[in-house]
Amino acid sequence: MFDTIFAGLIHGSAYALVAVGMSLIFGVTNVANFAQGSIVAVGMMTAWWLGTSLGWGIVPTAIAVIVVTGLLGLIMNALVITPLEGRKPIAALLATIGVGQILDNGLQIIFGTQTRRFPELLPTYNMQLAGVRFGTSDVVMIIFAILSMLGLWAFLKYGKAGQAIRATSQDPQAASQMGIPVRAIRNLSFVIGAVLAGVSGIFVGLFNTNINPMNGGTIGMTAFVAATIGGLGSIPGAVVGGLALGLIESVGISFLGDGAHDLITFGALLIILIIRPQGLLGGDDVKSEPLTGTFLGGGRPITLPWWGNLGLAILALATPFFFSDYLSGVGTQIAIYSIAAVGLTLISGSAGQTILGMAGPFAVGAYASAILSTRLDWPFLAAFLVAGVIAAIAASILTFPVWKLSGHYVAIATIGVGAVMVAIIRIWEPLTKGSLGIQGIPFPKVFGQSLYTQQMQYLLDVIVLLLTLVIVSRIRSSHLGRVFEAVGSDQEASEALSIRTGAYKALAYALAAFFAGLAGSLLAHQYTYIDPTIFNSNMSILILTIIVLGGMNSPLGAVLGSIVLIGGPELLRVASDARVLLYGVLLVVIILFRPQGLFARKV
């Protein structure tokens, strides 16, 4: 058990370093920086290159990483975050997601996707205590983590710039009136946060020994969970949250196995959010809502006349009869993601609640349909519809206690809900076959006809998409849809009118989960094989990016966003390696220059 606790402290120290930077940025700018983990990867890969190619030692390598990541934090704030001042805080959050995608896939393009051994900049297994082997690198990391926390605490408490950071965190407008250069202070906060993330990347590489350029996303998400557990915006909370999460993961995995990692991590997040949403050491007040808001950007969805909609529907139904196998295969991907994205406009668009975990309901729908078809021999149409219902019920049950929360805590909880859904699928091996996945899923069969060609499957997807658009449009134009929009436009005013905003958001989320479940069912029957790795955080981010691109409140815009984000890179094969990087660039550009989306107009 001692070795388990020691490993937990080591991991927790790394989480704490990243979480401290994340909490510092959040406290000063009210931005939940989802690119923080990607900066960890930048530091890790920079250190790997300097240590292997140039043979640099730990000190010059650390200095170089500090310079590189510090500049990266400054550039990110100056070019992406600062121009978004005055916008809804959700804009900056989505922009950091885009920056993270750019960094992750830029590293992948530069260094390749293969796993490689991290250079031994410090000895890693040269010590032993109580039967546990560890290295100088572990000791140095713990000492560095402690000194960093103490140094940052002293800087914030006694340093002139640190006091300015604290003042800016408490009230930016008052700080500006007192002569504090708020913009410079925010730049400094991003630089400090990025440097802590970059240095932690060195220690993560030393501890793990084997690294991959794409490791940053996982580390960053875990550090975000740690910061949330401790209390977003609280520096001591980030330290406590990081260490606590490291210990919880280490002990939990020792009993349940590595497959339960996400269940432990995100299960802990949900428990903390339900019991104490502000975190262990966070304040009781939420000064603003960085993960809520319709993000309409002053725009409204473009509406077409009935004949325009009819013409588009006829054109869509005709394309399967003219498309080749390849184009039909691309079309199925566009249509499937469009179905999930159109449903998401009800909650993230109309009801104004950002959802960051839609891969969960998507996975539940896929597995439900696959199991019903392969084990119980259900016909496709029955399994398809029931899969949507099961996804909606599962999402509703897991989020039931979440809707009593307020502000950004709901959106954070949806990250946990999505991850927990996939984690349960992974560990429920008797039913789902765990990491092995489910093979031999039959092709869709409708009215006795097996849809075994790409064109047939594409036609089915188009029909389902058109029905989804009709249903969602009818909901939006109904009394229920107007209530959703009222809740999204002004939650406090809605509550003053005795509207149960939490209940309506829960209903909108259940409807979105239903359509995501239908999309998952189609994917399972057309892939004929699924496993948990398909339904990762990138899927959730992609679905959200689709509606941001098209217009968060526009069902037709969601289809347009899917065509651009999925169809474009598929058709441009030369850009296949940079596909997700293009997603990130496009997301940032849209947020900066056309926040209302492509299929919306300014008002």
Side-chain angles (χ1 to χ4, degrees):
M1 180 58 71
F2 178 74
D3 59 335
T4 300
I5 294 174
F6 183 79
L9 289 174
I10 297 296
H11 268 111
S13 298
Y15 296 155
L17 280 173
V18 186
V20 164
M22 191 172 285
S23 281
L24 176 65
I25 292 170
F26 183 87
V28 175
T29 66
N30 202 36
V31 173
N33 183 15
F34 273 69
Q36 192 79 345
S38 302
I39 298 176
V40 173
V42 170
M44 185 169 60
M45 296 310 300
T46 301
W48 171 83
W49 182 75
L50 293 174
T52 55
S53 298
L54 302 183
W56 285 18
I58 182 64
V59 174
T61 295
I63 293 173
V65 166
I66 288 171
V67 172
V68 170
T69 54
L71 285 173
L72 189 58
L74 177 63
I75 292 169
M76 181 170 67
N77 185 56
L79 297 185
V80 178
I81 305 302
T82 298
L84 295 174
E85 289 181 15
R87 305 263 192 94
K88 288 182 180 294
I90 180 62
L93 175 138
L94 293 173
T96 65
I97 291 176
V99 171
Q101 290 177 313
I102 293 169
L103 294 177
D104 286 342
N105 289 273
L107 290 175
Q108 182 177 334
I109 292 170
I110 294 171
F111 295 105
T113 59
Q114 70 273 19
T115 299
R116 75 286 313 276
R117 187 169 183 81
F118 195 80
E120 195 168 308
L121 300 174
L122 287 171
T124 53
Y125 292 103
N126 59 324
M127 299 182 184
Q128 185 170 341
L129 178 65
V132 177
R133 294 194 64 83
F134 58 97
T136 303
S137 59
D138 300 324
V139 176
V140 171
M141 182 172 74
I142 293 176
I143 294 174
F144 180 82
I146 294 172
L147 292 178
S148 296
M149 310 313 164
L150 293 175
L152 186 59
W153 171 80
F155 170 70
L156 293 174
K157 187 172 180 63
Y158 300 110
K160 186 176 180 180
Q163 292 173 351
I165 288 176
R166 290 169 56 200
T168 303
S169 173
Q170 293 171 4
D171 193 329
Q173 292 183 345
S176 179
Q177 292 171 358
M178 294 298 292
I180 294 175
V182 172
R183 182 165 296 184
I185 291 300
R186 287 176 170 170
N187 283 336
L188 179 60
S189 300
F190 265 87
V191 169
I192 294 173
V195 165
L196 290 174
V199 173
S200 71
I202 300 175
F203 292 112
V204 169
L206 287 168
F207 182 79
N208 291 339
T209 66
N210 292 315
I211 62 168
N212 185 287
M214 303 302 289
N215 290 155
T218 302
I219 297 169
M221 186 58 70
T222 307
F224 179 74
V225 171
T228 305
I229 289 175
L232 275 172
S234 168
I235 303 300
V239 178
V240 172
L243 294 175
L245 184 59
L247 289 171
I248 291 170
E249 283 186 352
S250 186
V251 173
I253 290 172
S254 69
F255 285 103
L256 300 177
D258 190 59
H261 176 274
D262 286 353
L263 181 62
I264 295 166
T265 301
F266 293 100
L269 171 66
L270 289 176
I271 291 171
I272 287 294
L273 286 175
I274 293 168
I275 296 175
R276 185 175 171 80
Q278 68 270 32
L280 298 175
L281 300 181
D284 293 329
D285 61 317
V286 180
K287 60 185 177 182
S288 63
E289 314 296 359
L291 304 183
T292 59
T294 59
F295 190 63
L296 295 178
R300 289 292 181 271
I302 295 172
T303 55
L304 298 178
W306 68 268
W307 52 266
N309 289 322
L310 179 61
L312 287 177
I314 293 173
L315 178 63
L317 289 169
T319 53
F321 297 97
F322 298 98
F323 277 10
S324 64
D325 286 348
Y326 170 68
L327 289 178
S328 295
V330 174
T332 60
Q333 295 296 309
I334 293 172
I336 287 173
Y337 276 93
S338 294
I339 292 165
V342 169
L344 187 59
T345 60
L346 289 173
I347 175 67
S348 290
S350 296
Q353 181 61 64
T354 303
I355 302 296
L356 298 171
M358 285 306 291
F362 205 114
V364 171
Y367 270 85
S369 190
I371 292 169
L372 291 172
S373 298
T374 57
R375 297 203 177 182
L376 301 181
D377 295 324
W378 278 36
F380 165 73
L381 289 178
F384 169 70
L385 293 173
V386 171
V389 174
I390 291 175
I393 292 174
S396 298
I397 291 173
L398 286 175
T399 56
F400 175 74
V402 166
W403 301 108
K404 70 176 184 179
L405 305 177
S406 62
H408 58 267
Y409 300 121
V410 179
I412 294 171
T414 65
I415 299 174
V417 168
V420 165
M421 285 181 176
V422 179
I424 292 174
I425 288 172
R426 187 186 300 276
I427 66 174
W428 199 350
E429 293 186 5
L431 182 65
T432 66
K433 297 185 180 179
S435 299
L436 295 176
I438 299 178
Q439 300 177 346
I441 304 169
F443 287 126
K445 192 172 185 178
V446 180
F447 304 125
Q449 174 64 52
S450 177
L451 308 182
Y452 57 90
T453 68
Q454 293 281 13
Q455 288 84 354
M456 291 177 176
Q457 293 169 9
Y458 177 35
L459 179 60
L460 171 66
D461 297 340
V462 169
I463 292 172
V464 174
L465 173 58
L466 292 176
L467 291 174
T468 301
L469 285 167
V470 170
I471 294 170
V472 170
S473 297
R474 292 295 297 272
I475 291 174
R476 284 170 48 81
S477 63
S478 68
H479 173 71
L480 177 61
R482 289 191 287 273
V483 174
F484 286 161
E485 291 187 1
V487 171
S489 298
D490 194 328
Q491 183 168 328
E492 292 184 359
S494 299
E495 290 174 350
L497 294 172
S498 300
I499 296 175
R500 297 172 60 191
T501 57
Y504 279 101
K505 285 186 176 183
L507 177 57
Y509 179 58
L511 289 169
F514 171 78
F515 289 111
L518 296 183
S521 173
L522 291 172
L523 181 143
H525 286 273
Q526 292 171 26
Y527 278 17
T528 70
Y529 166 78
I530 54 173
D531 67 64
T533 61
I534 297 173
F535 311 98
N536 51 34
S537 60
N538 284 336
M539 174 181 280
S540 296
I541 293 171
L542 175 57
I543 296 172
L544 181 63
T545 305
I546 285 171
I547 65 170
V548 172
L549 176 61
M552 289 190 78
N553 211 17
S554 172
L556 277 178
V559 180
L560 177 60
S562 184
I563 292 172
V564 173
L565 282 176
I566 296 174
E570 282 288 349
L571 295 175
L572 296 174
R573 282 311 212 178
V574 293
S576 60
D577 292 337
R579 182 177 308 170
V580 182
L581 186 147
L582 293 175
Y583 294 162
V585 171
L586 195 54
L587 177 58
V588 172
V589 169
I590 287 294
I591 291 169
L592 287 173
F593 300 108
R594 192 172 174 82
Q596 73 269 24
L598 296 178
F599 204 74
R601 65 182 187 277
K602 284 188 175 182
V603 294

PDB file of all heavy atoms in Angstrom, residues 545-547 549-550 556-567 598:
ATOM      1  N   THR A 545     -18.263  21.823 -31.458  1.00  0.00           N
ATOM      2  CA  THR A 545     -17.660  22.703 -32.456  1.00  0.00           C
ATOM      3  C   THR A 545     -18.554  22.834 -33.678  1.00  0.00           C
ATOM      4  O   THR A 545     -18.647  23.911 -34.289  1.00  0.00           O
ATOM      5  CB  THR A 545     -16.279  22.173 -32.876  1.00  0.00           C
ATOM      6  OG1 THR A 545     -15.466  21.997 -31.733  1.00  0.00           O
ATOM      7  CG2 THR A 545     -15.591  23.130 -33.833  1.00  0.00           C
ATOM      8  N   ILE A 546     -19.217  21.757 -34.045  1.00  0.00           N
ATOM      9  CA  ILE A 546     -20.112  21.776 -35.204  1.00  0.00           C
ATOM     10  C   ILE A 546     -21.204  22.828 -35.032  1.00  0.00           C
ATOM     11  O   ILE A 546     -21.480  23.615 -35.942  1.00  0.00           O
ATOM     12  CB  ILE A 546     -20.726  20.377 -35.433  1.00  0.00           C
ATOM     13  CG1 ILE A 546     -19.677  19.437 -36.052  1.00  0.00           C
ATOM     14  CG2 ILE A 546     -21.959  20.459 -36.330  1.00  0.00           C
ATOM     15  CD1 ILE A 546     -20.114  17.992 -36.103  1.00  0.00           C
ATOM     16  N   ILE A 547     -21.827  22.867 -33.840  1.00  0.00           N
ATOM     17  CA  ILE A 547     -22.927  23.829 -33.671  1.00  0.00           C
ATOM     18  C   ILE A 547     -22.397  25.245 -33.451  1.00  0.00           C
ATOM     19  O   ILE A 547     -23.084  26.213 -33.776  1.00  0.00           O
ATOM     20  CB  ILE A 547     -23.900  23.420 -32.551  1.00  0.00           C
ATOM     21  CG1 ILE A 547     -23.219  23.439 -31.183  1.00  0.00           C
ATOM     22  CG2 ILE A 547     -24.507  22.063 -32.830  1.00  0.00           C
ATOM     23  CD1 ILE A 547     -24.209  23.280 -30.029  1.00  0.00           C
ATOM     24  N   LEU A 549     -19.826  26.409 -35.088  1.00  0.00           N
ATOM     25  CA  LEU A 549     -19.525  26.828 -36.449  1.00  0.00           C
ATOM     26  C   LEU A 549     -20.786  27.208 -37.214  1.00  0.00           C
ATOM     27  O   LEU A 549     -20.843  28.252 -37.868  1.00  0.00           O
ATOM     28  CB  LEU A 549     -18.788  25.709 -37.184  1.00  0.00           C
ATOM     29  CG  LEU A 549     -18.473  25.947 -38.658  1.00  0.00           C
ATOM     30  CD1 LEU A 549     -17.579  27.162 -38.825  1.00  0.00           C
ATOM     31  CD2 LEU A 549     -17.823  24.704 -39.272  1.00  0.00           C
ATOM     32  N   GLY A 550     -21.798  26.364 -37.125  1.00  0.00           N
ATOM     33  CA  GLY A 550     -23.010  26.629 -37.889  1.00  0.00           C
ATOM     34  C   GLY A 550     -23.906  27.679 -37.259  1.00  0.00           C
ATOM     35  O   GLY A 550     -24.653  28.368 -37.955  1.00  0.00           O
ATOM     36  N   LEU A 556     -30.323  23.953 -38.934  1.00  0.00           N
ATOM     37  CA  LEU A 556     -29.726  23.863 -40.269  1.00  0.00           C
ATOM     38  C   LEU A 556     -28.244  24.238 -40.227  1.00  0.00           C
ATOM     39  O   LEU A 556     -27.428  23.693 -40.970  1.00  0.00           O
ATOM     40  CB  LEU A 556     -30.469  24.780 -41.240  1.00  0.00           C
ATOM     41  CG  LEU A 556     -31.750  24.219 -41.867  1.00  0.00           C
ATOM     42  CD1 LEU A 556     -32.400  25.262 -42.763  1.00  0.00           C
ATOM     43  CD2 LEU A 556     -31.463  22.943 -42.657  1.00  0.00           C
ATOM     44  N   GLY A 557     -27.907  25.169 -39.344  1.00  0.00           N
ATOM     45  CA  GLY A 557     -26.503  25.525 -39.180  1.00  0.00           C
ATOM     46  C   GLY A 557     -25.675  24.359 -38.690  1.00  0.00           C
ATOM     47  O   GLY A 557     -24.505  24.211 -39.060  1.00  0.00           O
ATOM     48  N   ALA A 558     -26.293  23.488 -37.856  1.00  0.00           N
ATOM     49  CA  ALA A 558     -25.583  22.303 -37.376  1.00  0.00           C
ATOM     50  C   ALA A 558     -25.229  21.379 -38.543  1.00  0.00           C
ATOM     51  O   ALA A 558     -24.146  20.785 -38.569  1.00  0.00           O
ATOM     52  CB  ALA A 558     -26.439  21.556 -36.351  1.00  0.00           C
ATOM     53  N   VAL A 559     -26.127  21.261 -39.503  1.00  0.00           N
ATOM     54  CA  VAL A 559     -25.844  20.443 -40.688  1.00  0.00           C
ATOM     55  C   VAL A 559     -24.712  21.071 -41.494  1.00  0.00           C
ATOM     56  O   VAL A 559     -23.788  20.378 -41.949  1.00  0.00           O
ATOM     57  CB  VAL A 559     -27.109  20.279 -41.551  1.00  0.00           C
ATOM     58  CG1 VAL A 559     -26.799  19.435 -42.782  1.00  0.00           C
ATOM     59  CG2 VAL A 559     -28.234  19.651 -40.742  1.00  0.00           C
ATOM     60  N   LEU A 560     -24.770  22.386 -41.661  1.00  0.00           N
ATOM     61  CA  LEU A 560     -23.708  23.085 -42.397  1.00  0.00           C
ATOM     62  C   LEU A 560     -22.367  22.915 -41.679  1.00  0.00           C
ATOM     63  O   LEU A 560     -21.336  22.660 -42.318  1.00  0.00           O
ATOM     64  CB  LEU A 560     -24.057  24.561 -42.530  1.00  0.00           C
ATOM     65  CG  LEU A 560     -23.001  25.452 -43.209  1.00  0.00           C
ATOM     66  CD1 LEU A 560     -22.734  24.974 -44.634  1.00  0.00           C
ATOM     67  CD2 LEU A 560     -23.454  26.915 -43.203  1.00  0.00           C
ATOM     68  N   GLY A 561     -22.378  23.040 -40.353  1.00  0.00           N
ATOM     69  CA  GLY A 561     -21.151  22.857 -39.587  1.00  0.00           C
ATOM     70  C   GLY A 561     -20.575  21.470 -39.752  1.00  0.00           C
ATOM     71  O   GLY A 561     -19.357  21.285 -39.852  1.00  0.00           O
ATOM     72  N   SER A 562     -21.446  20.469 -39.795  1.00  0.00           N
ATOM     73  CA  SER A 562     -20.988  19.094 -39.986  1.00  0.00           C
ATOM     74  C   SER A 562     -20.398  18.903 -41.382  1.00  0.00           C
ATOM     75  O   SER A 562     -19.385  18.214 -41.545  1.00  0.00           O
ATOM     76  CB  SER A 562     -22.154  18.124 -39.760  1.00  0.00           C
ATOM     77  OG  SER A 562     -21.725  16.794 -39.845  1.00  0.00           O
ATOM     78  N   ILE A 563     -21.017  19.509 -42.376  1.00  0.00           N
ATOM     79  CA  ILE A 563     -20.484  19.401 -43.747  1.00  0.00           C
ATOM     80  C   ILE A 563     -19.075  19.990 -43.816  1.00  0.00           C
ATOM     81  O   ILE A 563     -18.164  19.403 -44.399  1.00  0.00           O
ATOM     82  CB  ILE A 563     -21.417  20.115 -44.736  1.00  0.00           C
ATOM     83  CG1 ILE A 563     -22.751  19.359 -44.856  1.00  0.00           C
ATOM     84  CG2 ILE A 563     -20.766  20.259 -46.107  1.00  0.00           C
ATOM     85  CD1 ILE A 563     -23.805  20.098 -45.665  1.00  0.00           C
ATOM     86  N   VAL A 564     -18.883  21.146 -43.182  1.00  0.00           N
ATOM     87  CA  VAL A 564     -17.584  21.823 -43.237  1.00  0.00           C
ATOM     88  C   VAL A 564     -16.532  21.066 -42.438  1.00  0.00           C
ATOM     89  O   VAL A 564     -15.417  20.817 -42.916  1.00  0.00           O
ATOM     90  CB  VAL A 564     -17.718  23.272 -42.721  1.00  0.00           C
ATOM     91  CG1 VAL A 564     -16.351  23.929 -42.621  1.00  0.00           C
ATOM     92  CG2 VAL A 564     -18.624  24.084 -43.635  1.00  0.00           C
ATOM     93  N   LEU A 565     -16.886  20.682 -41.204  1.00  0.00           N
ATOM     94  CA  LEU A 565     -15.894  20.092 -40.304  1.00  0.00           C
ATOM     95  C   LEU A 565     -15.589  18.631 -40.602  1.00  0.00           C
ATOM     96  O   LEU A 565     -14.482  18.158 -40.352  1.00  0.00           O
ATOM     97  CB  LEU A 565     -16.363  20.224 -38.853  1.00  0.00           C
ATOM     98  CG  LEU A 565     -16.191  21.597 -38.213  1.00  0.00           C
ATOM     99  CD1 LEU A 565     -16.773  21.611 -36.812  1.00  0.00           C
ATOM    100  CD2 LEU A 565     -14.736  22.003 -38.176  1.00  0.00           C
ATOM    101  N   ILE A 566     -16.566  17.901 -41.111  1.00  0.00           N
ATOM    102  CA  ILE A 566     -16.346  16.474 -41.380  1.00  0.00           C
ATOM    103  C   ILE A 566     -16.156  16.231 -42.868  1.00  0.00           C
ATOM    104  O   ILE A 566     -15.229  15.533 -43.285  1.00  0.00           O
ATOM    105  CB  ILE A 566     -17.517  15.638 -40.833  1.00  0.00           C
ATOM    106  CG1 ILE A 566     -17.573  15.769 -39.314  1.00  0.00           C
ATOM    107  CG2 ILE A 566     -17.380  14.172 -41.232  1.00  0.00           C
ATOM    108  CD1 ILE A 566     -18.758  15.120 -38.667  1.00  0.00           C
ATOM    109  N   GLY A 567     -17.022  16.813 -43.666  1.00  0.00           N
ATOM    110  CA  GLY A 567     -16.908  16.594 -45.101  1.00  0.00           C
ATOM    111  C   GLY A 567     -15.684  17.238 -45.703  1.00  0.00           C
ATOM    112  O   GLY A 567     -15.008  16.636 -46.546  1.00  0.00           O
ATOM    113  N   LEU A 598     -21.983  30.454 -38.971  1.00  0.00           N
ATOM    114  CA  LEU A 598     -22.089  30.657 -40.412  1.00  0.00           C
ATOM    115  C   LEU A 598     -23.529  30.826 -40.879  1.00  0.00           C
ATOM    116  O   LEU A 598     -23.803  31.595 -41.794  1.00  0.00           O
ATOM    117  CB  LEU A 598     -21.460  29.459 -41.147  1.00  0.00           C
ATOM    118  CG  LEU A 598     -19.954  29.247 -40.956  1.00  0.00           C
ATOM    119  CD1 LEU A 598     -19.509  27.991 -41.704  1.00  0.00           C
ATOM    120  CD2 LEU A 598     -19.174  30.464 -41.441  1.00  0.00           C
TER     121      LEU A 598
END
